[in-house]
Amino acid sequence: MRALYPGSFDPLTLGHLDLIERAARLFDGVVVAVLQNPSKQPAFALDQRLGQIRRATAHLGHVEVGSFDGLTVSYAQQCGTEVILRGLRALSDFEFELQIAHTNNSLAPDVETLFLATATRHSFLSSSVVKEVARFGGNVGHMVPTGVAEDLARLFNREPPQP
Ligand code: ADP
């Protein structure tokens, strides 16, 4: 069975990556897909986000990286994925995620939504938190893959992270 993991990934965090690695152990294939959402103004261009995900998942054989606009269920069907995967960090994620899952189920009953609980050590992480810390020069080395930390330093004109 193959799964689609959609998101903004603006930028990719270690929480996202942990979820991708765990999904790669559970599914025969995982498609990580960046949603091009016209109502959001991303900090990183689509190509940058795709590059961040490709570099961070290069060690995972059956992970593909793509992008889409429009309905997630349509893209899931197009990719031949039967499962949409989402991460749950806290109760605050739940209400919104459940609504989206019900909506997607009403549109495409053949596509299931599955939730994976975030790893405890990454449960405080979000792309917004990471950008906020990086903007003010804080260390994000334990929050994002190395390449993303470099991208963040560039974005906010900060010193590149020390190896
Ligand atoms: P979206 O705008 O679609 O919510 P995000 O990039 O913020 O896109 O999140 C994509 C998915 O990754 C969501 O299912 C979200 O709950 C999950 N996620 C976000 N942060 C983490 C984390 N720290 N650990 C595990 N999953 C996460």
Side-chain angles (χ1 to χ4, degrees):
M1 198 178 278
R2 280 156 50 81
L4 173 69
Y5 181 35
S8 309
F9 306 110
D10 184 39
L12 181 77
T13 70
L14 290 181
H16 294 133
L17 185 58
D18 175 66
L19 205 113
I20 296 167
E21 286 172 342
R22 286 157 60 206
R25 288 199 293 272
L26 293 172
F27 294 95
D28 302 312
V30 178
V31 180
V32 183
V34 179
L35 169 63
Q36 295 176 264
N37 188 344
S39 62
K40 282 191 184 174
Q41 196 52 254
F44 292 101
L46 175 65
D47 279 354
Q48 273 181 300
R49 285 180 279 163
L50 291 173
Q52 291 168 353
I53 302 170
R54 284 205 182 97
R55 280 193 299 276
T57 60
H59 62 296
L60 299 168
H62 49 293
V63 170
E64 299 158 44
V65 184
S67 66
F68 70 106
D69 52 14
L71 291 175
T72 305
V73 285
S74 304
Y75 188 67
Q77 286 165 335
Q78 197 184 313
C79 296
T81 49
E82 298 122 298
V83 166
I84 293 172
L85 202 61
R86 297 284 290 176
L88 284 181
R89 283 163 294 192
L91 199 57
S92 49
D93 280 340
F94 182 73
E95 209 169 328
F96 174 73
E97 292 294 342
L98 191 65
Q99 187 184 20
I100 299 292
H102 283 315
T103 306
N104 285 340
N105 182 260
S106 75
L107 293 170
D110 53 323
V111 180
E112 291 290 349
T113 299
L114 284 185
F115 298 107
L116 274 184
T118 178
T120 317
R121 67 186 182 286
H122 298 316
S123 59
F124 68 101
L125 277 182
S126 70
S127 298
S128 315
V129 159
V130 161
K131 281 181 284 197
E132 221 38 35
V133 173
R135 180 192 304 277
F136 296 110
N139 174 24
V140 291
H142 57 302
M143 300 182 187
V144 294
T146 312
V148 175
E150 288 163 3
D151 288 350
L152 282 162
R154 220 170 291 122
L155 180 70
F156 296 117
N157 296 315
R158 297 279 178 183
E159 288 294 308
Q162 300 307 309

